[in-house]
Amino acid sequence: MNSGDPLVERLRWQLGPGTVDGPLADERCRVRVDGTATAARALRLLADAGVPVVIEGEPAAGAAVLTVERMNALLGLDAESGVAHVQAGCTWRRVEWLLRRRGLTLGPLPAWLLERTVLESFATNDRLRPSPRYGQLTDGALAFAAVLPRGGIARSSVAPRRSTGPDLGRVPVGARHRGGLLTEVHLQAWPAPEARAWRAIERPDWSSALAAAVAVLRAGVQPAWWRLDRPRPRGPVRIWASLVETAGNERPATRFDAVVGGAGIDAAEVEAAAAALFPPVSPDAPRAATTPAFGTVAWAPRATLPAVAAAVEGAEVWDVAPEGGTVYAPAPLDELQVRRLRDLGAHIDTGGDEGGDEWQPLAEAVFARLAPRTSSE
Amino acid sequence: MQHSGARDSETAALLAGLRSDVGEAHVATGAPDRDAYSRDLWPRSLLDQIAGDPPTLPDAVVWPGSVDEVAAVVRRCAAARVPIVPFGAGSGVCGGTRPTHGGIVVDLKRLKRLRRVDAEAGVIEVEGGFVGELLERRLEAEGLTLGHFPSSIICSTVGGWLAGRSAGQLSSRYGKIEDMVVDLEVVTGDGRVRRTPPAGAPGAGPDWNQIFVGSEGTLGIITAATLRVHPQPTARRFRGWMVPTPEAGFEVMRRTLQEGWRPSVLRLYDPLDTVMVGSGPEEKGGGRSLGRLKEALGEGAPALKRRATVAALSVPGLINRAVKALPQRSLLVTMCEGDEAEAGATDEAIARIARTVGGRDLGEGPGRKWYAHRYDVSFKQSKMYRSGAFVDTMEVATTWTKLAELYEAVREAVAPHVLIMAHFSHAYPGGCSIYFTFAGTGRTPEEMKARYDAAWRAGQDAVIAQGAVIAHHHGVGLSRVPYMDRVHGEARRWFDALKPVLDPAGIFNPGKVFSE
């Protein structure tokens, strides 16, 4: 049936049946793209028509909403190189499940990441997977495909490193879709570990715990996963670490013990906590009862990291490196707290005004140059 | 000025202003300085020189002594719309610092302060003009290392490394320079000094560190950087393995890295390069094929040997076909470091894997020999050119699965033009780079240029056809500009959006990275 909206009809004609809903009460139309080519056609048509586009967001009057739930395929797997070519609408659960069936893994994926899409993680440059061994998920891309706001397709060659100018693939990362719609990513995957050893130890305060964590890194041990937390205010700080091991190679665990050995937490308690943190990824595994709420993430340099962690109630330190680390605050921070942490040298993404960040106006100017003209202009 | 045809009085006013900004002694307009700064180590420039083609000279060379002086120079040149070519130590091999539009070359070597060493946090803040080897010596005295050891280390700077996405010889352990960056101090085209957000910090917008790294002076001038450093290793293990084929060597490298080991060197030579470098501990030639070529073609070589080598290079197709008949055995050199336990465990892990592919243990000799000669060939190439030959290198990268195919495709493509060999020395869990070395000759300078250009075109076209990456760590400069639109396609629009925002007057290193 004809919708009476020429743009909606044109989109349907170009993108195929079942792809476009509209006109709708809250938005002009909703477009469910299934791949890079479809997304490019849709964005080009919408740019030509001057219609604002919202990607995976709240409906807005007169705008087209583009969704990526149909863009959820594993497009290719190079098992030898450990490179998975995935569509950006895949959830991390889906990618990891497809890889595990082939003896590969992206590394430990905590429960709160599993239902998040690849696109969400890259568009917000989330730092939600602390892993010295495997790195942040958003740092593990060997190549990408993206559709620019005016519908052009950008695609990079697949390689571990390059020297062909600025890393232009980093423009849409963290740009919340303003630099373009990321549609495909080549991710580094790894042989699934043959064994996994958990360790948990305690230190009296943030300073000594962070010093112990850095000592572990300096000893050449790269935990597959770790975090530091303090369950009770002014109580001891715990370091939890998962150490990937190949059969017959117990080196990471023995090195960890040698560097920070001492009061360990009961093994059963550690295993139970690990099971809750890393639930099975199979599609039929029960989901978490509620989507975990994300608090605020702050990065602080080494000198002030203990003070930043101590200033946040219930803080967890996720991504420790010798030069600094990421502090996760489970509850939203108020303005005063944000200012205090910034005074301590912390960088905080509050999702809005960055408090005088001198780069923000430059980013806005770059995105403005990429954006199509909308009908309101 | 050549770029705009501005009047002499405007030029004089600009130079007077620059002198007031950086001091009379730090502005040069004489012919020797302008000539010296008209080229870098791009081999094509040497061929132009042999052919008598005059280079485009800069109008002046300035040596600012502080970041504020750099900013003043940028503001002044932006107001006059005069091009700026940032310059480190001139060791680039792609023509990235050639002042093709005239203008001002800004040599940053006076920015050589090590501003901060924080061993506890494992970071240093160092200015962009610091020469690599001097930096490593300073760090060594503090018990630290950056872990970045390009073969140009004695004649390259921190700023140059960052601008070109450089790789050091120990990249398998410490990463490339882009992996070492915490943040950057940059002078943008509005003459402001800015500090990028630290790597890993949350925030909206592009990752500015990775936008400026590799921008080759087209988006801003990198005046300082905070970089990660590491404790000096207390132990090293060297070893050589003779593996039956290059593919067997790939297998050892790939499995070692995918298992999570972090050797500092995994360096595999192809069959010809294996013959050239020799696998014994005491052979001449510096353990590097370019060293051998230099021996054969340099001024110290016997005339007969030199003539024979040039004659062989004049029939590259024939020689390359003959090379295919060589035994396929390939030399793999390894170096593992850390403390005694880590170095030993990594060495043993490689041994375990190497034996599964039929590798023969050659002991410490090949590794130690390579280590002793690792910086031998980054300069003095002009001696070979005087013999009527040319040499160059082309570093490309791809995934493990495509590595053998890429290697064959590039060899096949350039074989009619030059003698070609390769080694594989920057390895990652997902893939590896191939470092091709090629040598050729021509009866006249024009013929040499034609062969050189044909070899580059054929090689880069083959890389693009294979879907691989045309440059791993030498950058784009001028030499790769013709391929960049094909490589980046629509992604170029991101650069086109960045450029006017960061360089509103369009003065930074025009004509480099992307064509105008």
mmCIF file with all atom_site columns, all heavy atoms in Angstrom, chain B residues 252-269:
data_model
loop_
_atom_site.group_PDB
_atom_site.id
_atom_site.type_symbol
_atom_site.label_atom_id
_atom_site.label_alt_id
_atom_site.label_comp_id
_atom_site.label_asym_id
_atom_site.label_entity_id
_atom_site.label_seq_id
_atom_site.pdbx_PDB_ins_code
_atom_site.Cartn_x
_atom_site.Cartn_y
_atom_site.Cartn_z
_atom_site.occupancy
_atom_site.B_iso_or_equiv
_atom_site.pdbx_formal_charge
_atom_site.auth_seq_id
_atom_site.auth_comp_id
_atom_site.auth_asym_id
_atom_site.auth_atom_id
_atom_site.pdbx_PDB_model_num
ATOM 1   N N   . VAL B 1 252 ? 55.976 -20.179 12.466 1.00 0.00 ? 252 VAL B N   1
ATOM 2   C CA  . VAL B 1 252 ? 56.629 -19.992 13.769 1.00 0.00 ? 252 VAL B CA  1
ATOM 3   C C   . VAL B 1 252 ? 56.285 -18.605 14.331 1.00 0.00 ? 252 VAL B C   1
ATOM 4   O O   . VAL B 1 252 ? 55.918 -18.457 15.506 1.00 0.00 ? 252 VAL B O   1
ATOM 5   C CB  . VAL B 1 252 ? 58.165 -20.128 13.637 1.00 0.00 ? 252 VAL B CB  1
ATOM 6   C CG1 . VAL B 1 252 ? 58.837 -19.881 14.994 1.00 0.00 ? 252 VAL B CG1 1
ATOM 7   C CG2 . VAL B 1 252 ? 58.537 -21.506 13.102 1.00 0.00 ? 252 VAL B CG2 1
ATOM 8   N N   . MET B 1 253 ? 56.370 -17.594 13.480 1.00 0.00 ? 253 MET B N   1
ATOM 9   C CA  . MET B 1 253 ? 56.107 -16.218 13.943 1.00 0.00 ? 253 MET B CA  1
ATOM 10  C C   . MET B 1 253 ? 54.661 -16.079 14.404 1.00 0.00 ? 253 MET B C   1
ATOM 11  O O   . MET B 1 253 ? 54.358 -15.530 15.466 1.00 0.00 ? 253 MET B O   1
ATOM 12  C CB  . MET B 1 253 ? 56.408 -15.237 12.806 1.00 0.00 ? 253 MET B CB  1
ATOM 13  C CG  . MET B 1 253 ? 57.868 -15.241 12.370 1.00 0.00 ? 253 MET B CG  1
ATOM 14  S SD  . MET B 1 253 ? 58.138 -14.457 10.758 1.00 0.00 ? 253 MET B SD  1
ATOM 15  C CE  . MET B 1 253 ? 58.288 -12.735 11.222 1.00 0.00 ? 253 MET B CE  1
ATOM 16  N N   . ARG B 1 254 ? 53.757 -16.566 13.581 1.00 0.00 ? 254 ARG B N   1
ATOM 17  C CA  . ARG B 1 254 ? 52.325 -16.413 13.871 1.00 0.00 ? 254 ARG B CA  1
ATOM 18  C C   . ARG B 1 254 ? 51.944 -17.109 15.176 1.00 0.00 ? 254 ARG B C   1
ATOM 19  O O   . ARG B 1 254 ? 51.325 -16.509 16.061 1.00 0.00 ? 254 ARG B O   1
ATOM 20  C CB  . ARG B 1 254 ? 51.510 -16.992 12.705 1.00 0.00 ? 254 ARG B CB  1
ATOM 21  C CG  . ARG B 1 254 ? 50.007 -16.922 12.859 1.00 0.00 ? 254 ARG B CG  1
ATOM 22  C CD  . ARG B 1 254 ? 49.298 -17.561 11.677 1.00 0.00 ? 254 ARG B CD  1
ATOM 23  N NE  . ARG B 1 254 ? 49.506 -19.002 11.582 1.00 0.00 ? 254 ARG B NE  1
ATOM 24  C CZ  . ARG B 1 254 ? 48.839 -19.901 12.276 1.00 0.00 ? 254 ARG B CZ  1
ATOM 25  N NH1 . ARG B 1 254 ? 47.911 -19.519 13.140 1.00 0.00 ? 254 ARG B NH1 1
ATOM 26  N NH2 . ARG B 1 254 ? 49.089 -21.195 12.124 1.00 0.00 ? 254 ARG B NH2 1
ATOM 27  N N   . ARG B 1 255 ? 52.353 -18.379 15.300 1.00 0.00 ? 255 ARG B N   1
ATOM 28  C CA  . ARG B 1 255 ? 51.946 -19.129 16.484 1.00 0.00 ? 255 ARG B CA  1
ATOM 29  C C   . ARG B 1 255 ? 52.576 -18.545 17.747 1.00 0.00 ? 255 ARG B C   1
ATOM 30  O O   . ARG B 1 255 ? 51.952 -18.505 18.805 1.00 0.00 ? 255 ARG B O   1
ATOM 31  C CB  . ARG B 1 255 ? 52.304 -20.604 16.316 1.00 0.00 ? 255 ARG B CB  1
ATOM 32  C CG  . ARG B 1 255 ? 51.312 -21.325 15.406 1.00 0.00 ? 255 ARG B CG  1
ATOM 33  C CD  . ARG B 1 255 ? 51.722 -22.744 15.096 1.00 0.00 ? 255 ARG B CD  1
ATOM 34  N NE  . ARG B 1 255 ? 52.048 -23.525 16.279 1.00 0.00 ? 255 ARG B NE  1
ATOM 35  C CZ  . ARG B 1 255 ? 52.668 -24.703 16.232 1.00 0.00 ? 255 ARG B CZ  1
ATOM 36  N NH1 . ARG B 1 255 ? 53.019 -25.216 15.073 1.00 0.00 ? 255 ARG B NH1 1
ATOM 37  N NH2 . ARG B 1 255 ? 52.927 -25.357 17.343 1.00 0.00 ? 255 ARG B NH2 1
ATOM 38  N N   . THR B 1 256 ? 53.795 -18.077 17.633 1.00 0.00 ? 256 THR B N   1
ATOM 39  C CA  . THR B 1 256 ? 54.458 -17.472 18.799 1.00 0.00 ? 256 THR B CA  1
ATOM 40  C C   . THR B 1 256 ? 53.648 -16.285 19.316 1.00 0.00 ? 256 THR B C   1
ATOM 41  O O   . THR B 1 256 ? 53.372 -16.162 20.515 1.00 0.00 ? 256 THR B O   1
ATOM 42  C CB  . THR B 1 256 ? 55.875 -16.997 18.409 1.00 0.00 ? 256 THR B CB  1
ATOM 43  O OG1 . THR B 1 256 ? 56.640 -18.128 17.989 1.00 0.00 ? 256 THR B OG1 1
ATOM 44  C CG2 . THR B 1 256 ? 56.562 -16.307 19.575 1.00 0.00 ? 256 THR B CG2 1
ATOM 45  N N   . LEU B 1 257 ? 53.234 -15.427 18.409 1.00 0.00 ? 257 LEU B N   1
ATOM 46  C CA  . LEU B 1 257 ? 52.527 -14.206 18.825 1.00 0.00 ? 257 LEU B CA  1
ATOM 47  C C   . LEU B 1 257 ? 51.092 -14.504 19.237 1.00 0.00 ? 257 LEU B C   1
ATOM 48  O O   . LEU B 1 257 ? 50.572 -13.910 20.171 1.00 0.00 ? 257 LEU B O   1
ATOM 49  C CB  . LEU B 1 257 ? 52.582 -13.180 17.704 1.00 0.00 ? 257 LEU B CB  1
ATOM 50  C CG  . LEU B 1 257 ? 54.010 -12.693 17.415 1.00 0.00 ? 257 LEU B CG  1
ATOM 51  C CD1 . LEU B 1 257 ? 54.077 -11.913 16.126 1.00 0.00 ? 257 LEU B CD1 1
ATOM 52  C CD2 . LEU B 1 257 ? 54.537 -11.850 18.571 1.00 0.00 ? 257 LEU B CD2 1
ATOM 53  N N   . GLN B 1 258 ? 50.448 -15.437 18.530 1.00 0.00 ? 258 GLN B N   1
ATOM 54  C CA  . GLN B 1 258 ? 49.057 -15.744 18.896 1.00 0.00 ? 258 GLN B CA  1
ATOM 55  C C   . GLN B 1 258 ? 48.975 -16.473 20.234 1.00 0.00 ? 258 GLN B C   1
ATOM 56  O O   . GLN B 1 258 ? 47.952 -16.413 20.909 1.00 0.00 ? 258 GLN B O   1
ATOM 57  C CB  . GLN B 1 258 ? 48.382 -16.541 17.782 1.00 0.00 ? 258 GLN B CB  1
ATOM 58  C CG  . GLN B 1 258 ? 48.108 -15.688 16.543 1.00 0.00 ? 258 GLN B CG  1
ATOM 59  C CD  . GLN B 1 258 ? 47.404 -16.434 15.435 1.00 0.00 ? 258 GLN B CD  1
ATOM 60  O OE1 . GLN B 1 258 ? 47.211 -17.643 15.490 1.00 0.00 ? 258 GLN B OE1 1
ATOM 61  N NE2 . GLN B 1 258 ? 47.016 -15.701 14.391 1.00 0.00 ? 258 GLN B NE2 1
ATOM 62  N N   . GLU B 1 259 ? 50.066 -17.152 20.623 1.00 0.00 ? 259 GLU B N   1
ATOM 63  C CA  . GLU B 1 259 ? 50.073 -17.769 21.959 1.00 0.00 ? 259 GLU B CA  1
ATOM 64  C C   . GLU B 1 259 ? 50.288 -16.733 23.055 1.00 0.00 ? 259 GLU B C   1
ATOM 65  O O   . GLU B 1 259 ? 50.207 -17.034 24.230 1.00 0.00 ? 259 GLU B O   1
ATOM 66  C CB  . GLU B 1 259 ? 51.175 -18.838 22.044 1.00 0.00 ? 259 GLU B CB  1
ATOM 67  C CG  . GLU B 1 259 ? 50.799 -20.152 21.401 1.00 0.00 ? 259 GLU B CG  1
ATOM 68  C CD  . GLU B 1 259 ? 51.834 -21.238 21.670 1.00 0.00 ? 259 GLU B CD  1
ATOM 69  O OE1 . GLU B 1 259 ? 52.714 -21.045 22.535 1.00 0.00 ? 259 GLU B OE1 1
ATOM 70  O OE2 . GLU B 1 259 ? 51.761 -22.281 20.997 1.00 0.00 ? 259 GLU B OE2 1
ATOM 71  N N   . GLY B 1 260 ? 50.621 -15.512 22.665 1.00 0.00 ? 260 GLY B N   1
ATOM 72  C CA  . GLY B 1 260 ? 50.766 -14.448 23.661 1.00 0.00 ? 260 GLY B CA  1
ATOM 73  C C   . GLY B 1 260 ? 52.197 -14.160 24.070 1.00 0.00 ? 260 GLY B C   1
ATOM 74  O O   . GLY B 1 260 ? 52.429 -13.370 24.985 1.00 0.00 ? 260 GLY B O   1
ATOM 75  N N   . TRP B 1 261 ? 53.180 -14.781 23.420 1.00 0.00 ? 261 TRP B N   1
ATOM 76  C CA  . TRP B 1 261 ? 54.584 -14.480 23.731 1.00 0.00 ? 261 TRP B CA  1
ATOM 77  C C   . TRP B 1 261 ? 54.966 -13.155 23.102 1.00 0.00 ? 261 TRP B C   1
ATOM 78  O O   . TRP B 1 261 ? 54.381 -12.753 22.094 1.00 0.00 ? 261 TRP B O   1
ATOM 79  C CB  . TRP B 1 261 ? 55.493 -15.600 23.213 1.00 0.00 ? 261 TRP B CB  1
ATOM 80  C CG  . TRP B 1 261 ? 55.157 -16.930 23.801 1.00 0.00 ? 261 TRP B CG  1
ATOM 81  C CD1 . TRP B 1 261 ? 54.431 -17.912 23.211 1.00 0.00 ? 261 TRP B CD1 1
ATOM 82  C CD2 . TRP B 1 261 ? 55.472 -17.384 25.112 1.00 0.00 ? 261 TRP B CD2 1
ATOM 83  N NE1 . TRP B 1 261 ? 54.285 -18.972 24.066 1.00 0.00 ? 261 TRP B NE1 1
ATOM 84  C CE2 . TRP B 1 261 ? 54.917 -18.682 25.248 1.00 0.00 ? 261 TRP B CE2 1
ATOM 85  C CE3 . TRP B 1 261 ? 56.172 -16.842 26.187 1.00 0.00 ? 261 TRP B CE3 1
ATOM 86  C CZ2 . TRP B 1 261 ? 55.036 -19.431 26.419 1.00 0.00 ? 261 TRP B CZ2 1
ATOM 87  C CZ3 . TRP B 1 261 ? 56.296 -17.590 27.346 1.00 0.00 ? 261 TRP B CZ3 1
ATOM 88  C CH2 . TRP B 1 261 ? 55.737 -18.870 27.450 1.00 0.00 ? 261 TRP B CH2 1
ATOM 89  N N   . ARG B 1 262 ? 55.957 -12.493 23.720 1.00 0.00 ? 262 ARG B N   1
ATOM 90  C CA  . ARG B 1 262 ? 56.345 -11.171 23.214 1.00 0.00 ? 262 ARG B CA  1
ATOM 91  C C   . ARG B 1 262 ? 57.857 -11.084 22.980 1.00 0.00 ? 262 ARG B C   1
ATOM 92  O O   . ARG B 1 262 ? 58.571 -10.375 23.690 1.00 0.00 ? 262 ARG B O   1
ATOM 93  C CB  . ARG B 1 262 ? 55.883 -10.090 24.182 1.00 0.00 ? 262 ARG B CB  1
ATOM 94  C CG  . ARG B 1 262 ? 54.355 -10.057 24.328 1.00 0.00 ? 262 ARG B CG  1
ATOM 95  C CD  . ARG B 1 262 ? 53.887 -8.834  25.067 1.00 0.00 ? 262 ARG B CD  1
ATOM 96  N NE  . ARG B 1 262 ? 54.594 -8.655  26.315 1.00 0.00 ? 262 ARG B NE  1
ATOM 97  C CZ  . ARG B 1 262 ? 55.088 -7.492  26.752 1.00 0.00 ? 262 ARG B CZ  1
ATOM 98  N NH1 . ARG B 1 262 ? 54.972 -6.409  26.009 1.00 0.00 ? 262 ARG B NH1 1
ATOM 99  N NH2 . ARG B 1 262 ? 55.692 -7.400  27.916 1.00 0.00 ? 262 ARG B NH2 1
ATOM 100 N N   . PRO B 1 263 ? 58.342 -11.813 21.980 1.00 0.00 ? 263 PRO B N   1
ATOM 101 C CA  . PRO B 1 263 ? 59.764 -11.674 21.652 1.00 0.00 ? 263 PRO B CA  1
ATOM 102 C C   . PRO B 1 263 ? 60.017 -10.273 21.111 1.00 0.00 ? 263 PRO B C   1
ATOM 103 O O   . PRO B 1 263 ? 59.111 -9.641  20.568 1.00 0.00 ? 263 PRO B O   1
ATOM 104 C CB  . PRO B 1 263 ? 59.977 -12.724 20.563 1.00 0.00 ? 263 PRO B CB  1
ATOM 105 C CG  . PRO B 1 263 ? 58.627 -12.914 19.951 1.00 0.00 ? 263 PRO B CG  1
ATOM 106 C CD  . PRO B 1 263 ? 57.630 -12.684 21.044 1.00 0.00 ? 263 PRO B CD  1
ATOM 107 N N   . SER B 1 264 ? 61.227 -9.785  21.259 1.00 0.00 ? 264 SER B N   1
ATOM 108 C CA  . SER B 1 264 ? 61.498 -8.439  20.738 1.00 0.00 ? 264 SER B CA  1
ATOM 109 C C   . SER B 1 264 ? 61.836 -8.476  19.251 1.00 0.00 ? 264 SER B C   1
ATOM 110 O O   . SER B 1 264 ? 61.588 -7.504  18.542 1.00 0.00 ? 264 SER B O   1
ATOM 111 C CB  . SER B 1 264 ? 62.602 -7.761  21.538 1.00 0.00 ? 264 SER B CB  1
ATOM 112 O OG  . SER B 1 264 ? 63.644 -8.650  21.783 1.00 0.00 ? 264 SER B OG  1
ATOM 113 N N   . VAL B 1 265 ? 62.396 -9.563  18.775 1.00 0.00 ? 265 VAL B N   1
ATOM 114 C CA  . VAL B 1 265 ? 62.706 -9.674  17.344 1.00 0.00 ? 265 VAL B CA  1
ATOM 115 C C   . VAL B 1 265 ? 62.274 -11.032 16.814 1.00 0.00 ? 265 VAL B C   1
ATOM 116 O O   . VAL B 1 265 ? 62.605 -12.072 17.395 1.00 0.00 ? 265 VAL B O   1
ATOM 117 C CB  . VAL B 1 265 ? 64.224 -9.496  17.082 1.00 0.00 ? 265 VAL B CB  1
ATOM 118 C CG1 . VAL B 1 265 ? 64.549 -9.744  15.603 1.00 0.00 ? 265 VAL B CG1 1
ATOM 119 C CG2 . VAL B 1 265 ? 64.683 -8.101  17.483 1.00 0.00 ? 265 VAL B CG2 1
ATOM 120 N N   . LEU B 1 266 ? 61.520 -10.993 15.731 1.00 0.00 ? 266 LEU B N   1
ATOM 121 C CA  . LEU B 1 266 ? 61.244 -12.182 14.918 1.00 0.00 ? 266 LEU B CA  1
ATOM 122 C C   . LEU B 1 266 ? 61.514 -11.725 13.494 1.00 0.00 ? 266 LEU B C   1
ATOM 123 O O   . LEU B 1 266 ? 60.736 -10.958 12.927 1.00 0.00 ? 266 LEU B O   1
ATOM 124 C CB  . LEU B 1 266 ? 59.776 -12.615 15.044 1.00 0.00 ? 266 LEU B CB  1
ATOM 125 C CG  . LEU B 1 266 ? 59.333 -13.304 16.323 1.00 0.00 ? 266 LEU B CG  1
ATOM 126 C CD1 . LEU B 1 266 ? 57.813 -13.458 16.335 1.00 0.00 ? 266 LEU B CD1 1
ATOM 127 C CD2 . LEU B 1 266 ? 59.991 -14.677 16.465 1.00 0.00 ? 266 LEU B CD2 1
ATOM 128 N N   . ARG B 1 267 ? 62.611 -12.144 12.948 1.00 0.00 ? 267 ARG B N   1
ATOM 129 C CA  . ARG B 1 267 ? 63.037 -11.588 11.661 1.00 0.00 ? 267 ARG B CA  1
ATOM 130 C C   . ARG B 1 267 ? 63.350 -12.740 10.714 1.00 0.00 ? 267 ARG B C   1
ATOM 131 O O   . ARG B 1 267 ? 64.316 -13.470 10.915 1.00 0.00 ? 267 ARG B O   1
ATOM 132 C CB  . ARG B 1 267 ? 64.274 -10.722 11.891 1.00 0.00 ? 267 ARG B CB  1
ATOM 133 C CG  . ARG B 1 267 ? 64.741 -9.927  10.711 1.00 0.00 ? 267 ARG B CG  1
ATOM 134 C CD  . ARG B 1 267 ? 66.002 -9.150  11.102 1.00 0.00 ? 267 ARG B CD  1
ATOM 135 N NE  . ARG B 1 267 ? 66.505 -8.354  10.009 1.00 0.00 ? 267 ARG B NE  1
ATOM 136 C CZ  . ARG B 1 267 ? 66.189 -7.092  9.784  1.00 0.00 ? 267 ARG B CZ  1
ATOM 137 N NH1 . ARG B 1 267 ? 65.366 -6.461  10.595 1.00 0.00 ? 267 ARG B NH1 1
ATOM 138 N NH2 . ARG B 1 267 ? 66.693 -6.436  8.758  1.00 0.00 ? 267 ARG B NH2 1
ATOM 139 N N   . LEU B 1 268 ? 62.521 -12.873 9.709  1.00 0.00 ? 268 LEU B N   1
ATOM 140 C CA  . LEU B 1 268 ? 62.655 -13.983 8.762  1.00 0.00 ? 268 LEU B CA  1
ATOM 141 C C   . LEU B 1 268 ? 63.150 -13.463 7.418  1.00 0.00 ? 268 LEU B C   1
ATOM 142 O O   . LEU B 1 268 ? 62.588 -12.513 6.878  1.00 0.00 ? 268 LEU B O   1
ATOM 143 C CB  . LEU B 1 268 ? 61.280 -14.652 8.584  1.00 0.00 ? 268 LEU B CB  1
ATOM 144 C CG  . LEU B 1 268 ? 61.205 -15.788 7.574  1.00 0.00 ? 268 LEU B CG  1
ATOM 145 C CD1 . LEU B 1 268 ? 61.898 -17.048 8.110  1.00 0.00 ? 268 LEU B CD1 1
ATOM 146 C CD2 . LEU B 1 268 ? 59.737 -16.104 7.236  1.00 0.00 ? 268 LEU B CD2 1
ATOM 147 N N   . TYR B 1 269 ? 64.197 -14.086 6.875  1.00 0.00 ? 269 TYR B N   1
ATOM 148 C CA  . TYR B 1 269 ? 64.720 -13.689 5.563  1.00 0.00 ? 269 TYR B CA  1
ATOM 149 C C   . TYR B 1 269 ? 64.198 -14.646 4.503  1.00 0.00 ? 269 TYR B C   1
ATOM 150 O O   . TYR B 1 269 ? 64.122 -15.846 4.746  1.00 0.00 ? 269 TYR B O   1
ATOM 151 C CB  . TYR B 1 269 ? 66.251 -13.740 5.578  1.00 0.00 ? 269 TYR B CB  1
ATOM 152 C CG  . TYR B 1 269 ? 66.876 -12.773 6.551  1.00 0.00 ? 269 TYR B CG  1
ATOM 153 C CD1 . TYR B 1 269 ? 67.147 -13.155 7.858  1.00 0.00 ? 269 TYR B CD1 1
ATOM 154 C CD2 . TYR B 1 269 ? 67.194 -11.486 6.163  1.00 0.00 ? 269 TYR B CD2 1
ATOM 155 C CE1 . TYR B 1 269 ? 67.724 -12.273 8.753  1.00 0.00 ? 269 TYR B CE1 1
ATOM 156 C CE2 . TYR B 1 269 ? 67.779 -10.589 7.057  1.00 0.00 ? 269 TYR B CE2 1
ATOM 157 C CZ  . TYR B 1 269 ? 68.043 -10.999 8.351  1.00 0.00 ? 269 TYR B CZ  1
ATOM 158 O OH  . TYR B 1 269 ? 68.605 -10.120 9.238  1.00 0.00 ? 269 TYR B OH  1
#
